[in-house]
Amino acid sequence: MTWTRIALTLALAVLPGSTQAKDSSPHTHGAAESPDRDRPAPLSGQSIYQVRTAWTDTDAKSVQLRSLRGKPVALAMVYTSCTTACPLILADLKRIESALSPEARGRVWFALFSFDSERDRPEVLKKFASAHDLDPSRWRLYHGDRAAVRELAMVLGIRYKRDARGDYDHSNVISILDPDGVIRHQQVGLGQEPAESANRLESLGR
Amino acid sequence: MTGHRREVLMWIVALTLSFFATATAAPDQNVEEPIQGEERAVLTDPPTVPPPITRKHATKVIVRLEVTEVEKSLADGVRYTFWTFGGKVPGKFIRIREGDLVEFHLDNHPNNKMPHNIDLHAVTGPGGGAASSLSAPGHSSVFSFKALNPGLYVYHCATAPVAMHVANGMYGLILVEPRDGLPKVDREYYVMQGDFYTKGANGQAGLQPFSMVKAIDERPDYVVFNGAVGAVAGDNALQAKVGETVRLYFGVGGPNLTSSFHVIGEIFDRVWAEGNMALVTKDVQTTLVPAGGAAIVDFKVEVPGTYILVDHSLTRAFNKGALGMLKVTGAENKLVYSGKISDEVYLPEGTRIRMGEAPPGIAPPAKTKKELLERGKGVYAANCAACHQANGQGIPKAFPPLVRSDYLNADKVRAIRTVTGGLQGPISVNGEKYNGVMPAWTLSDEDVAAVLSYVYSSWGNSGKEVSAKDVKTHRVKGSSAKVSE
Amino acid sequence: MRIRTALTAAAASAAAVVTLAMPVPASAAGPDMVLVPAGQQQPFFVTRGSPASASSEDGRSPSIEVPAFLMDRTPVTRRQFAEFVREQAEWRRSQMTPVLADPHYLEDWASDLGAGKSVPADAPVTRVSWFAASAYCQWKGKELPTVDQWERAAAGGGKDAAATRDKILRWYSRPGTEPLRAVGREAPNAYGLHDLHGLIWEWTLDFNSTLVSTENRDSGAKDDPLFCGSGSQGAADPGDYATFMRYALRNSLKASYTTGTLGFRCAKEMERP
């Protein structure tokens, strides 16, 4: 039953324009069940990767959140047409990136997930990434359907609301995850000093 | 200017500047003040407060406040669901020192239904902590703040709708002691006023829900100290001994009303109005404490008795419960307060003569001595007992006794003249001096005879008998024998 | 009543057709659901800068249009949730992980599979997190109602507004440990929905959308207008303490939280988004 669901979910997710298809069992958590292929150890009960919503990366490939497993992650939720907070979140992430030592920089993910299911399609995200000089070797940008966006925001504790114009009011949080997907630190608010987040990423990567 | 003099001048300037800097820059100084050590705050239930701070340095203080929603008595027969910081209204008293770093834990008990947070007026920061402490039932929030300003501050829940949370009792006081502490007193107490709004009228029994309409209209049913009618009265009264200095940390939680705080029978020797530590006012009768504000009042109790704490908006005190008590025991001090000295008959100017009243029942003349004495007893009761008392004891220093009265027994004629003509000026009776006014009584000869005979035959007196003929002979010239029927 | 049943049936078939494309077991909206017709709903808080905040002709903030939808007649019961965990093992108490529910998840149940007899089986299920509630609704081919849908349903078309507020304030006055009664025993509201007030708090799909900062430049937490006087700014009716409290509760929650007085019911949209 479970495998059928996963197979069908992936099938649906890959279909073009199928963003309205509700995920079959987005909450299925396999902490005790199936070990990940990449790492033999099962996921910790605190890992957000238990939430198995599917996302699409900038190459239009469908991936699970847990594909980030294995390296520490600096993660934020934004949207590209946001003219107020999101450029500042991005700037804060870049400050964290610069604050890292060169070796640490090579060992972490910087992941951006868009609130905007309608407008921030993979190709839009791809243009955004190159427009902002985001190094593709460590920056990942993701598009998800409304259910995926909601799930991720829930698990990160992020508040948001879509207004009538299609813009998003949202709380500004940068989450630092360990290689297993456990939230280790959250940088709340804009314009914060990068030191603490950078230090966390450094030590988590070792 | 020589180098030496310049140096001296620079020292003077530097010292002067640093003096002014320390004198005026207290909050900035408190930001910088280093923290030594860590301790868990001692929190107390009203009306007690934790002991004064003795340490001379700033420290890290850990405060844990637990919110519980409890049903308790608001007044006789009236129950209410209070939302509390620590189980009581007002909430726990927190006592820290300026410069302290407070690590604040707000715990929302899992049995609660509502979300809660806290705004401490001592906090410099968004929402006074409210922005960082919203907790769902079964959850806890932690934040920390530095106490930058000394003073007595209100804290309260600030979850929307705020007025309802506060109206349900979610307030308390936090004292940030100044660097060198407060002047020492013998007793310290914690009292907080609040207004309560119930669906039913004042006094209506049973579990009363909150009335939003009355709260918005500011029409409370109860205005009380420490969360209930009588919470600081009767058996719960505050205590002190004569000669002690008493300090009240008084706050107003509101949500709406301001208090005109007064202690009946006392004057506040010192008031730190609005809880500030910089300015003391002296000799204050009633101090205005705003909603969401506080005051510290000190006074010395000199005389025993029960002192009533009130909100001097009087119908709140007497009809809604804003009344508390401080019971002071110890030796009397008649110089400061004598108590009632005398209970006198008041004779307006020009009235030296009183119309006597004839007693009902026995008409004159009495035929036997028994009848005479009975009539005399009646006349006495109707006319003389008011001053000389029913037992003839009189009132010390005011009305002479008739019991074994040397003055009376010495001279029967004088007695007749006293009753019929009045008496004033100093006299001595049984060794005590009296200097009052006794009016002339308009009574018939028979009645004067009867009352004097009665007095003479009572209370260990000489037993003489006085006849109507005696009275007629010896009554004061010009006195009237007309009797009112 | 007949029209409503017909509409419900029509909606159910429409839903069934649509959900056949989904791999979840499609359970048609049956007599356990009620139609809440399309209509205007005055949002309680209005975000500055959004079109909704511009004054309308009469000076009041314009209301929003909530399309027709189906809603569960009553909150989900312990009996119903027990069926769910029997079939979906990963939602049993022993399988639960901290990310998806806090340690109080189904804490008062007798066992993994059964709620036990201490509370009526038809009492609403509580001590469930948003993730669990959401999973249940999805399992039923439904979804948690949005805040707008829930508030619209709860307003009951505006009938008996004062009496409803009183009822809510009375419920706020009663202790959180009061034993839960079975659902559906009290009179329904104008739409035919039971127990929206006076029994439990209810999860909504986007509970985390309330009180987001009106100023995007700063963190949502810091400018949260739910504190002190600023709580009533931007509220359509600052005198409506009953509703204020509901928003405050939503604002205090995270998706993994559970409480003894927080349950849920499900809803279903009439047309696909």
Side-chain angles (χ1 to χ4, degrees), chain B residues 38 45 107 123 139 161 229 235 284 286 436 455:
Chain B
E38 182 177 301
D45 287 330
D107 305 324
V123 171
H139 292 85
V229 174
D235 291 339
V284 175
T286 300
V455 171

Side-chain angles (χ1 to χ4, degrees), chain C:
Chain C
M1 204 58 187
R2 273 206 209 100
I3 298 172
R4 200 183 271 171
T5 321
L7 275 170
T8 313
S13 354
V17 164
V18 160
T19 55
L20 276 174
M22 296 176 54
V24 287
S27 41
D32 57 331
M33 295 195 94
V34 144
L35 176 75
V36 179
Q40 297 290 313
Q41 177 65 15
Q42 177 79 259
F44 189 67
F45 283 98
V46 175
T47 344
R48 227 173 34 230
S50 73
S53 72
S55 298
S56 66
E57 275 163 26
D58 60 359
R60 288 170 61 86
S61 307
S63 39
I64 52 168
E65 171 80 20
V66 180
F69 66 100
L70 297 167
M71 192 177 218
D72 283 354
R73 200 178 285 280
T74 66
V76 172
T77 64
R78 292 157 77 91
R79 189 200 303 278
Q80 289 169 323
F81 203 79
E83 282 171 31
F84 170 63
V85 300
R86 260 197 289 285
E87 205 185 298
Q88 305 284 312
E90 67 259 29
W91 289 104
R92 295 178 195 171
R93 184 173 62 192
S94 59
Q95 303 299 312
M96 194 39 62
T97 61
V99 164
L100 298 170
D102 69 23
H104 299 291
Y105 178 67
L106 299 180
E107 158 179 82
D108 60 336
W109 278 35
S111 72
D112 247 15
L113 295 173
K117 295 203 176 30
S118 61
V119 178
D122 287 322
V125 67
T126 60
R127 297 201 169 90
V128 286
S129 64
W130 179 89
F131 292 108
S134 197
Y136 174 94
C137 290
Q138 302 242 346
W139 179 68
K140 285 279 193 190
K142 307 177 192 178
E143 186 91 87
L144 283 171
T146 62
V147 172
D148 290 338
Q149 286 172 332
W150 198 96
E151 291 289 330
R152 171 143 173 80
K159 282 179 75 173
D160 305 318
T164 305
R165 262 185 221 186
D166 268 358
K167 177 179 177 178
I168 297 171
L169 290 173
R170 269 201 302 279
W171 183 62
Y172 291 164
S173 300
R174 295 205 300 271
T177 44
E178 193 178 46
L180 293 169
R181 58 164 196 274
V183 303
R185 296 295 155 87
E186 299 203 337
N189 77 355
Y191 295 133
L193 297 160
H194 296 262
D195 303 314
L196 285 161
H197 302 297
L199 185 53
I200 50 169
W201 304 107
E202 294 189 10
W203 282 112
T204 41
L205 187 67
D206 55 347
F207 74 90
N208 64 340
S209 69
T210 58
L211 282 308
V212 177
S213 168
T214 58
E215 179 58 43
N216 277 358
R217 231 160 296 157
D218 203 348
S219 160
K222 272 198 244 158
D223 275 351
D224 199 320
L226 256 185
F227 307 121
C228 279
S230 62
S232 58
Q233 274 169 19
D237 183 0
D240 185 357
Y241 284 7
T243 306
F244 247 121
M245 199 73 79
R246 234 178 0 255
Y247 279 83
L249 192 276
R250 289 181 187 130
N251 204 39
S252 73
L253 295 171
K254 287 198 158 62
S256 62
Y257 283 13
T258 70
T259 89
T261 46
L262 174 62
F264 69 103
R265 70 180 75 203
C266 306
K268 202 172 173 64
E269 288 183 355
M270 294 296 295
E271 64 241 328
R272 305 299 297 158

